[in-house]
Amino acid sequence: MTSSEQTPGTPADRGSDDHILDDVADPIGTVTRAVWGLVLIRGILAVIFGLLALFAPVLTLYAIVFVFAAYALVEGVIQIVHAIRVRHRDRRWGWLLATGVIAVIAGIVAFVFPGAAGLVYGSFGLALIAFYSVMMGIAGFPAAASATDGGRKVLGYIVAGLSIVLGVVLAIILVAQPVLAIINLIWVVGVWAIIIGVTLIIAAIGARTRATGRRAPRSGSGAEPAQG
């Protein structure tokens, strides 16, 4: 056997085997390392959206409305075309056609009156949040009462009460100052987008660093030639 040949079980072979075993044992991590660039781009875009939501909430609201309008138009046209194609074999084609027409009308109205559309959609979203908060608070009282531990029971009552208070406060603000309430909602979404974006950026950089660190030893691996 020449000096450049390696026997099975050498450190270089074991390092290669460990690399393969790591990829098999951690397929999700392998995929993340492979698409780290896409994850990084998503994180950067999320941070940009969050900053726009914080510093230009009205512009962000208009952008959201226009995106919804475009989606509604495309979805409506697709449903109308599909309804016309299946009108001879599907008795529900009339409903498909009606929903498609409504979606197209909603998209056109959103494009023509973006401010009013944003106010309506934002108010509807806040109303859903307020209703959900109140319902969760009401459901939380029986759950708290069923707790056996005294500390958990008190904490459950507090959380349920705060949930109801939050929902009522949101409803009052929505009725009294709908524009301010919607802007506050956009700010909350912006903060959340920044948190998600920073998390994705850190994950992408970490995946890239791990992938680089794992490739470096392999490029210089191999047994040194025997001396003499």
Side-chain angles (χ1 to χ4, degrees):
M1 183 176 62
T2 62
S3 59
S4 61
E5 293 178 349
Q6 300 178 11
T7 59
T10 60
D13 290 336
R14 287 197 297 269
S16 178
D17 293 341
D18 291 342
H19 177 73
I20 296 174
L21 290 176
D22 288 343
D23 289 345
V24 173
D26 187 16
I28 297 178
T30 304
V31 173
T32 303
R33 289 188 294 271
V35 297
W36 73 271
L38 297 178
V39 177
L40 180 63
I41 292 174
R42 287 183 58 189
I44 293 174
L45 292 177
V47 171
I48 293 175
F49 173 79
L51 293 175
L52 287 176
L54 289 178
F55 295 103
V58 177
L59 179 62
T60 304
L61 179 61
Y62 275 101
I64 294 174
V65 170
F66 286 138
V67 169
F68 168 79
Y71 172 81
L73 281 175
V74 173
E75 180 70 15
V77 170
I78 291 176
Q79 288 190 7
I80 290 174
V81 173
H82 179 67
I84 294 174
R85 287 181 176 178
V86 300
R87 67 184 184 277
H88 296 300
R89 62 177 185 273
D90 193 342
R91 291 180 296 179
R92 300 174 301 171
W93 75 274
W95 290 105
L96 293 174
L97 181 64
T99 56
V101 171
I102 293 174
V104 170
I105 293 175
I108 294 175
V109 170
F111 270 122
V112 177
F113 306 103
L119 183 62
V120 172
Y121 301 148
S123 300
F124 180 73
L126 279 174
L128 284 181
I129 295 174
F131 178 78
Y132 175 80
S133 181
V134 171
M135 291 296 102
M136 289 299 295
I138 294 175
F141 280 106
S146 62
T148 57
D149 182 68
R152 293 183 179 180
K153 181 176 295 187
V154 173
L155 181 60
Y157 282 130
I158 293 175
V159 172
L162 289 177
S163 180
I164 294 177
V165 170
L166 175 62
V168 173
V169 170
L170 282 177
I172 293 175
I173 295 176
L174 181 59
V175 173
Q177 295 288 340
V179 177
L180 180 61
I182 294 172
I183 291 178
N184 289 331
L185 176 62
I186 295 175
W187 283 339
V188 172
V189 173
V191 172
W192 179 252
I194 292 176
I195 295 174
I196 295 298
V198 171
T199 303
L200 290 176
I201 291 173
I202 293 175
I205 294 175
R208 174 60 176 173
T209 303
R210 289 192 298 271
T212 304
R214 293 177 61 177
R215 285 198 300 268
R218 297 181 63 195
S219 60
S221 62
E224 295 182 357
Q227 302 295 330

CSV table of all heavy atoms in Angstrom, one decimal, residues 77-126:
chain,number,residue,atom,x,y,z
A,77,VAL,N,-61.5,36.7,-11.5
A,77,VAL,CA,-61.4,36.4,-12.9
A,77,VAL,C,-61.3,34.9,-13.1
A,77,VAL,O,-61.9,34.3,-13.9
A,77,VAL,CB,-60.3,37.1,-13.6
A,77,VAL,CG1,-60.1,36.6,-15.1
A,77,VAL,CG2,-60.6,38.6,-13.7
A,78,ILE,N,-60.4,34.3,-12.3
A,78,ILE,CA,-60.2,32.8,-12.4
A,78,ILE,C,-61.5,32.1,-12.0
A,78,ILE,O,-61.9,31.1,-12.7
A,78,ILE,CB,-59.1,32.4,-11.4
A,78,ILE,CG1,-57.7,32.9,-11.9
A,78,ILE,CG2,-59.0,30.9,-11.3
A,78,ILE,CD1,-56.6,32.6,-11.0
A,79,GLN,N,-62.2,32.5,-11.0
A,79,GLN,CA,-63.5,31.9,-10.7
A,79,GLN,C,-64.5,32.1,-11.8
A,79,GLN,O,-65.3,31.1,-12.0
A,79,GLN,CB,-64.0,32.4,-9.3
A,79,GLN,CG,-63.2,32.0,-8.1
A,79,GLN,CD,-63.8,32.3,-6.8
A,79,GLN,OE1,-65.0,32.8,-6.8
A,79,GLN,NE2,-63.2,32.1,-5.7
A,80,ILE,N,-64.6,33.2,-12.4
A,80,ILE,CA,-65.6,33.5,-13.4
A,80,ILE,C,-65.3,32.5,-14.6
A,80,ILE,O,-66.2,31.9,-15.2
A,80,ILE,CB,-65.5,34.9,-13.9
A,80,ILE,CG1,-66.1,35.8,-12.7
A,80,ILE,CG2,-66.3,35.1,-15.2
A,80,ILE,CD1,-66.0,37.3,-13.0
A,81,VAL,N,-64.0,32.5,-15.0
A,81,VAL,CA,-63.6,31.6,-16.2
A,81,VAL,C,-63.9,30.2,-15.8
A,81,VAL,O,-64.5,29.4,-16.7
A,81,VAL,CB,-62.1,31.8,-16.5
A,81,VAL,CG1,-61.7,30.8,-17.5
A,81,VAL,CG2,-61.9,33.2,-17.0
A,82,HIS,N,-63.6,29.7,-14.6
A,82,HIS,CA,-63.9,28.3,-14.2
A,82,HIS,C,-65.4,28.1,-14.2
A,82,HIS,O,-65.8,27.0,-14.6
A,82,HIS,CB,-63.3,28.1,-12.8
A,82,HIS,CG,-63.5,26.7,-12.3
A,82,HIS,ND1,-63.0,25.6,-12.9
A,82,HIS,CD2,-64.3,26.2,-11.3
A,82,HIS,CE1,-63.4,24.5,-12.3
A,82,HIS,NE2,-64.2,24.9,-11.3
A,83,ALA,N,-66.2,29.0,-13.7
A,83,ALA,CA,-67.6,28.8,-13.7
A,83,ALA,C,-68.2,28.7,-15.1
A,83,ALA,O,-69.1,27.8,-15.3
A,83,ALA,CB,-68.3,30.0,-12.9
A,84,ILE,N,-67.7,29.5,-16.0
A,84,ILE,CA,-68.2,29.4,-17.4
A,84,ILE,C,-67.8,28.0,-18.0
A,84,ILE,O,-68.6,27.4,-18.8
A,84,ILE,CB,-67.7,30.5,-18.2
A,84,ILE,CG1,-68.2,31.9,-17.7
A,84,ILE,CG2,-68.0,30.4,-19.7
A,84,ILE,CD1,-67.6,33.1,-18.3
A,85,ARG,N,-66.6,27.5,-17.7
A,85,ARG,CA,-66.2,26.3,-18.3
A,85,ARG,C,-67.0,25.1,-17.8
A,85,ARG,O,-67.2,24.1,-18.5
A,85,ARG,CB,-64.7,26.1,-18.0
A,85,ARG,CG,-63.8,27.0,-18.8
A,85,ARG,CD,-62.3,26.7,-18.5
A,85,ARG,NE,-61.4,27.5,-19.3
A,85,ARG,CZ,-60.1,27.5,-19.2
A,85,ARG,NH1,-59.5,26.7,-18.3
A,85,ARG,NH2,-59.3,28.2,-20.0
A,86,VAL,N,-67.4,25.1,-16.5
A,86,VAL,CA,-68.1,23.9,-15.9
A,86,VAL,C,-69.6,24.1,-15.8
A,86,VAL,O,-70.3,23.4,-15.2
A,86,VAL,CB,-67.5,23.7,-14.5
A,86,VAL,CG1,-66.0,23.4,-14.6
A,86,VAL,CG2,-67.8,24.8,-13.6
A,87,ARG,N,-70.1,25.1,-16.5
A,87,ARG,CA,-71.6,25.4,-16.4
A,87,ARG,C,-72.4,24.3,-16.9
A,87,ARG,O,-73.6,24.2,-16.5
A,87,ARG,CB,-71.9,26.7,-17.1
A,87,ARG,CG,-71.7,26.6,-18.6
A,87,ARG,CD,-72.0,28.0,-19.3
A,87,ARG,NE,-72.0,28.0,-20.7
A,87,ARG,CZ,-70.9,28.0,-21.5
A,87,ARG,NH1,-69.7,28.1,-20.9
A,87,ARG,NH2,-70.9,28.0,-22.8
A,88,HIS,N,-71.9,23.4,-17.8
A,88,HIS,CA,-72.7,22.3,-18.3
A,88,HIS,C,-72.7,21.1,-17.5
A,88,HIS,O,-73.5,20.2,-17.7
A,88,HIS,CB,-72.3,22.0,-19.8
A,88,HIS,CG,-72.5,23.2,-20.7
A,88,HIS,ND1,-73.8,23.7,-21.0
A,88,HIS,CD2,-71.7,23.9,-21.5
A,88,HIS,CE1,-73.7,24.7,-21.8
A,88,HIS,NE2,-72.4,24.8,-22.2
A,89,ARG,N,-71.7,21.0,-16.6
A,89,ARG,CA,-71.5,19.7,-15.8
A,89,ARG,C,-71.5,19.9,-14.3
A,89,ARG,O,-71.5,19.0,-13.6
A,89,ARG,CB,-70.3,19.0,-16.3
A,89,ARG,CG,-69.0,19.8,-16.0
A,89,ARG,CD,-67.8,18.9,-16.4
A,89,ARG,NE,-66.5,19.6,-16.1
A,89,ARG,CZ,-65.9,20.4,-16.9
A,89,ARG,NH1,-66.4,20.7,-18.1
A,89,ARG,NH2,-64.7,21.0,-16.6
A,90,ASP,N,-71.6,21.2,-13.9
A,90,ASP,CA,-71.6,21.4,-12.4
A,90,ASP,C,-72.7,22.4,-12.1
A,90,ASP,O,-72.8,23.5,-12.6
A,90,ASP,CB,-70.2,22.1,-12.0
A,90,ASP,CG,-70.1,22.1,-10.5
A,90,ASP,OD1,-71.1,21.9,-9.8
A,90,ASP,OD2,-68.9,22.3,-10.0
A,91,ARG,N,-73.6,21.9,-11.3
A,91,ARG,CA,-74.8,22.7,-11.0
A,91,ARG,C,-74.5,23.9,-10.0
A,91,ARG,O,-75.3,24.8,-9.9
A,91,ARG,CB,-75.9,21.9,-10.3
A,91,ARG,CG,-76.5,20.9,-11.2
A,91,ARG,CD,-77.6,20.0,-10.5
A,91,ARG,NE,-77.0,19.2,-9.5
A,91,ARG,CZ,-77.7,18.4,-8.7
A,91,ARG,NH1,-79.0,18.3,-8.8
A,91,ARG,NH2,-77.0,17.7,-7.7
A,92,ARG,N,-73.3,23.9,-9.5
A,92,ARG,CA,-72.9,25.0,-8.6
A,92,ARG,C,-72.2,26.1,-9.3
A,92,ARG,O,-71.7,27.0,-8.7
A,92,ARG,CB,-71.9,24.4,-7.5
A,92,ARG,CG,-72.5,23.4,-6.6
A,92,ARG,CD,-71.4,22.8,-5.7
A,92,ARG,NE,-70.3,22.3,-6.5
A,92,ARG,CZ,-69.1,21.9,-6.0
A,92,ARG,NH1,-68.9,22.0,-4.7
A,92,ARG,NH2,-68.2,21.4,-6.8
A,93,TRP,N,-72.2,26.1,-10.7
A,93,TRP,CA,-71.5,27.1,-11.4
A,93,TRP,C,-72.0,28.5,-11.2
A,93,TRP,O,-71.3,29.5,-11.3
A,93,TRP,CB,-71.5,26.7,-12.9
A,93,TRP,CG,-72.8,27.0,-13.6
A,93,TRP,CD1,-73.9,26.2,-13.7
A,93,TRP,CD2,-73.1,28.2,-14.3
A,93,TRP,NE1,-74.9,26.9,-14.3
A,93,TRP,CE2,-74.5,28.1,-14.7
A,93,TRP,CE3,-72.4,29.4,-14.6
A,93,TRP,CZ2,-75.1,29.1,-15.5
A,93,TRP,CZ3,-73.1,30.4,-15.3
A,93,TRP,CH2,-74.4,30.2,-15.7
A,94,GLY,N,-73.3,28.6,-10.9
A,94,GLY,CA,-73.9,29.9,-10.6
A,94,GLY,C,-73.3,30.5,-9.4
A,94,GLY,O,-73.0,31.7,-9.4
A,95,TRP,N,-73.1,29.7,-8.3
A,95,TRP,CA,-72.4,30.3,-7.1
A,95,TRP,C,-71.0,30.7,-7.4
A,95,TRP,O,-70.5,31.7,-6.9
A,95,TRP,CB,-72.5,29.2,-6.0
A,95,TRP,CG,-73.8,29.0,-5.4
A,95,TRP,CD1,-74.6,27.9,-5.7
A,95,TRP,CD2,-74.6,29.9,-4.6
A,95,TRP,NE1,-75.8,28.0,-5.0
A,95,TRP,CE2,-75.8,29.2,-4.3
A,95,TRP,CE3,-74.3,31.1,-4.0
A,95,TRP,CZ2,-76.8,29.8,-3.5
A,95,TRP,CZ3,-75.3,31.7,-3.2
A,95,TRP,CH2,-76.5,31.0,-3.0
A,96,LEU,N,-70.3,29.8,-8.2
A,96,LEU,CA,-68.9,30.2,-8.5
A,96,LEU,C,-68.9,31.5,-9.3
A,96,LEU,O,-68.0,32.4,-9.1
A,96,LEU,CB,-68.3,29.1,-9.3
A,96,LEU,CG,-68.0,27.7,-8.6
A,96,LEU,CD1,-67.5,26.7,-9.6
A,96,LEU,CD2,-67.0,27.9,-7.5
A,97,LEU,N,-69.8,31.6,-10.2
A,97,LEU,CA,-69.8,32.9,-11.0
A,97,LEU,C,-70.1,34.1,-10.1
A,97,LEU,O,-69.5,35.1,-10.3
A,97,LEU,CB,-70.9,32.7,-12.1
A,97,LEU,CG,-71.1,33.9,-13.0
A,97,LEU,CD1,-69.8,34.2,-13.8
A,97,LEU,CD2,-72.3,33.7,-14.0
A,98,ALA,N,-71.1,33.9,-9.2
A,98,ALA,CA,-71.4,35.0,-8.3
A,98,ALA,C,-70.3,35.4,-7.4
A,98,ALA,O,-70.0,36.6,-7.2
A,98,ALA,CB,-72.6,34.6,-7.4
A,99,THR,N,-69.6,34.4,-6.8
A,99,THR,CA,-68.4,34.8,-6.0
A,99,THR,C,-67.3,35.4,-6.8
A,99,THR,O,-66.6,36.3,-6.3
A,99,THR,CB,-67.9,33.5,-5.3
A,99,THR,OG1,-67.6,32.5,-6.3
A,99,THR,CG2,-68.9,33.0,-4.3
A,100,GLY,N,-67.1,35.0,-8.0
A,100,GLY,CA,-66.1,35.6,-8.9
A,100,GLY,C,-66.4,37.1,-9.2
A,100,GLY,O,-65.6,37.9,-9.1
A,101,VAL,N,-67.7,37.3,-9.5
A,101,VAL,CA,-68.1,38.7,-9.8
A,101,VAL,C,-68.0,39.6,-8.5
A,101,VAL,O,-67.5,40.7,-8.6
A,101,VAL,CB,-69.6,38.7,-10.3
A,101,VAL,CG1,-70.1,40.1,-10.4
A,101,VAL,CG2,-69.7,38.0,-11.6
A,102,ILE,N,-68.3,39.1,-7.4
A,102,ILE,CA,-68.2,39.8,-6.1
A,102,ILE,C,-66.7,40.1,-5.9
A,102,ILE,O,-66.4,41.3,-5.5
A,102,ILE,CB,-68.8,39.1,-5.0
A,102,ILE,CG1,-70.3,39.0,-5.1
A,102,ILE,CG2,-68.5,39.7,-3.6
A,102,ILE,CD1,-71.0,38.1,-4.1
A,103,ALA,N,-65.8,39.2,-6.1
A,103,ALA,CA,-64.4,39.4,-5.9
A,103,ALA,C,-63.9,40.4,-6.8
A,103,ALA,O,-63.1,41.3,-6.4
A,103,ALA,CB,-63.7,38.1,-6.1
A,104,VAL,N,-64.3,40.4,-8.1
A,104,VAL,CA,-63.9,41.4,-9.1
A,104,VAL,C,-64.4,42.8,-8.6
A,104,VAL,O,-63.6,43.8,-8.7
A,104,VAL,CB,-64.4,41.1,-10.5
A,104,VAL,CG1,-64.1,42.2,-11.4
A,104,VAL,CG2,-63.6,39.8,-11.0
A,105,ILE,N,-65.6,42.9,-8.2
A,105,ILE,CA,-66.2,44.2,-7.8
A,105,ILE,C,-65.4,44.7,-6.6
A,105,ILE,O,-65.1,45.9,-6.5
A,105,ILE,CB,-67.7,44.0,-7.5
A,105,ILE,CG1,-68.4,43.7,-8.8
A,105,ILE,CG2,-68.2,45.3,-6.8
A,105,ILE,CD1,-69.9,43.5,-8.5
A,106,ALA,N,-65.1,43.8,-5.6
A,106,ALA,CA,-64.4,44.2,-4.4
A,106,ALA,C,-63.0,44.7,-4.8
A,106,ALA,O,-62.5,45.7,-4.2
A,106,ALA,CB,-64.3,43.0,-3.4
A,107,GLY,N,-62.3,44.0,-5.7
A,107,GLY,CA,-61.0,44.5,-6.2
A,107,GLY,C,-61.0,45.8,-6.8
A,107,GLY,O,-60.2,46.7,-6.6
A,108,ILE,N,-62.0,46.1,-7.7
A,108,ILE,CA,-62.2,47.4,-8.4
A,108,ILE,C,-62.5,48.5,-7.4
A,108,ILE,O,-61.9,49.6,-7.4
A,108,ILE,CB,-63.3,47.3,-9.4
A,108,ILE,CG1,-62.9,46.3,-10.6
A,108,ILE,CG2,-63.6,48.7,-10.0
A,108,ILE,CD1,-64.0,46.1,-11.6
A,109,VAL,N,-63.4,48.2,-6.4
A,109,VAL,CA,-63.7,49.2,-5.4
A,109,VAL,C,-62.4,49.5,-4.6
A,109,VAL,O,-62.2,50.7,-4.3
A,109,VAL,CB,-64.8,48.7,-4.5
A,109,VAL,CG1,-65.0,49.6,-3.3
A,109,VAL,CG2,-66.1,48.6,-5.3
A,110,ALA,N,-61.7,48.5,-4.3
A,110,ALA,CA,-60.4,48.8,-3.5
A,110,ALA,C,-59.4,49.6,-4.3
A,110,ALA,O,-58.7,50.5,-3.7
A,110,ALA,CB,-59.8,47.4,-3.1
A,111,PHE,N,-59.3,49.4,-5.6
A,111,PHE,CA,-58.4,50.2,-6.4
A,111,PHE,C,-58.9,51.6,-6.5
A,111,PHE,O,-58.1,52.6,-6.4
A,111,PHE,CB,-58.3,49.6,-7.8
A,111,PHE,CG,-57.2,48.6,-7.9
A,111,PHE,CD1,-57.4,47.3,-8.3
A,111,PHE,CD2,-55.9,49.0,-7.6
A,111,PHE,CE1,-56.4,46.4,-8.4
A,111,PHE,CE2,-54.8,48.1,-7.7
A,111,PHE,CZ,-55.1,46.8,-8.1
A,112,VAL,N,-60.2,51.8,-6.7
A,112,VAL,CA,-60.8,53.2,-6.9
A,112,VAL,C,-60.8,53.9,-5.6
A,112,VAL,O,-60.6,55.1,-5.5
A,112,VAL,CB,-62.2,53.1,-7.5
A,112,VAL,CG1,-62.8,54.5,-7.7
A,112,VAL,CG2,-62.1,52.4,-8.9
A,113,PHE,N,-61.2,53.3,-4.5
A,113,PHE,CA,-61.3,53.9,-3.2
A,113,PHE,C,-60.5,53.2,-2.2
A,113,PHE,O,-61.0,52.5,-1.3
A,113,PHE,CB,-62.8,53.9,-2.7
A,113,PHE,CG,-63.8,54.5,-3.7
A,113,PHE,CD1,-64.6,53.7,-4.5
A,113,PHE,CD2,-63.9,55.9,-3.8
A,113,PHE,CE1,-65.5,54.2,-5.4
A,113,PHE,CE2,-64.8,56.4,-4.7
A,113,PHE,CZ,-65.6,55.6,-5.5
A,114,PRO,N,-59.1,53.4,-2.3
A,114,PRO,CA,-58.3,52.6,-1.3
A,114,PRO,C,-58.4,53.0,0.1
A,114,PRO,O,-58.3,52.2,1.0
A,114,PRO,CB,-56.9,52.9,-1.9
A,114,PRO,CG,-57.0,54.2,-2.6
A,114,PRO,CD,-58.4,54.2,-3.2
A,115,GLY,N,-58.6,54.3,0.3
A,115,GLY,CA,-58.8,54.8,1.7
A,115,GLY,C,-60.0,54.2,2.4
A,115,GLY,O,-59.9,53.7,3.5
A,116,ALA,N,-61.1,54.2,1.7
A,116,ALA,CA,-62.3,53.6,2.3
A,116,ALA,C,-62.2,52.1,2.5
A,116,ALA,O,-62.6,51.5,3.5
A,116,ALA,CB,-63.5,53.9,1.4
A,117,ALA,N,-61.6,51.5,1.5
A,117,ALA,CA,-61.4,50.0,1.6
A,117,ALA,C,-60.5,49.7,2.7
A,117,ALA,O,-60.7,48.7,3.5
A,117,ALA,CB,-60.8,49.5,0.3
A,118,GLY,N,-59.4,50.4,2.9
A,118,GLY,CA,-58.5,50.2,4.1
A,118,GLY,C,-59.2,50.4,5.4
A,118,GLY,O,-59.0,49.6,6.3
A,119,LEU,N,-60.1,51.4,5.5
A,119,LEU,CA,-60.8,51.6,6.7
A,119,LEU,C,-61.8,50.5,7.0
A,119,LEU,O,-61.9,50.0,8.1
A,119,LEU,CB,-61.6,53.0,6.6
A,119,LEU,CG,-62.4,53.4,7.8
A,119,LEU,CD1,-61.4,53.6,9.0
A,119,LEU,CD2,-63.2,54.7,7.5
A,120,VAL,N,-62.4,50.0,5.9
A,120,VAL,CA,-63.4,48.9,6.1
A,120,VAL,C,-62.7,47.6,6.5
A,120,VAL,O,-63.0,46.9,7.5
A,120,VAL,CB,-64.2,48.7,4.9
A,120,VAL,CG1,-65.1,47.4,5.0
A,120,VAL,CG2,-65.1,49.9,4.6
A,121,TYR,N,-61.6,47.3,5.8
A,121,TYR,CA,-60.9,46.0,6.0
A,121,TYR,C,-60.2,46.1,7.4
A,121,TYR,O,-60.2,45.1,8.2
A,121,TYR,CB,-59.9,45.8,4.9
A,121,TYR,CG,-60.5,45.6,3.6
A,121,TYR,CD1,-59.7,46.0,2.4
A,121,TYR,CD2,-61.8,45.1,3.4
A,121,TYR,CE1,-60.3,45.9,1.2
A,121,TYR,CE2,-62.3,45.0,2.1
A,121,TYR,CZ,-61.6,45.5,1.0
A,121,TYR,OH,-62.1,45.4,-0.2
A,122,GLY,N,-59.6,47.2,7.7
A,122,GLY,CA,-59.0,47.4,9.0
A,122,GLY,C,-59.9,47.3,10.1
A,122,GLY,O,-59.7,46.6,11.2
A,123,SER,N,-61.1,47.9,10.0
A,123,SER,CA,-62.1,47.9,11.0
A,123,SER,C,-62.6,46.5,11.2
A,123,SER,O,-62.9,46.0,12.4
A,123,SER,CB,-63.3,48.8,10.7
A,123,SER,OG,-62.8,50.2,10.6
A,124,PHE,N,-62.8,45.8,10.1
A,124,PHE,CA,-63.3,44.4,10.2
A,124,PHE,C,-62.3,43.5,10.9
A,124,PHE,O,-62.7,42.7,11.8
A,124,PHE,CB,-63.6,43.9,8.8
A,124,PHE,CG,-64.1,42.4,8.8
A,124,PHE,CD1,-65.4,42.1,9.2
A,124,PHE,CD2,-63.2,41.4,8.4
A,124,PHE,CE1,-65.8,40.8,9.2
A,124,PHE,CE2,-63.7,40.1,8.4
A,124,PHE,CZ,-65.0,39.8,8.8
A,125,GLY,N,-61.0,43.7,10.6
A,125,GLY,CA,-60.0,42.9,11.3
A,125,GLY,C,-59.9,43.2,12.8
A,125,GLY,O,-59.8,42.3,13.6
A,126,LEU,N,-60.0,44.5,13.1
A,126,LEU,CA,-59.9,44.8,14.6
A,126,LEU,C,-61.2,44.3,15.3
A,126,LEU,O,-61.1,43.9,16.4
A,126,LEU,CB,-59.8,46.3,14.7
A,126,LEU,CG,-58.4,46.9,14.6
A,126,LEU,CD1,-58.5,48.4,14.6
A,126,LEU,CD2,-57.5,46.4,15.7
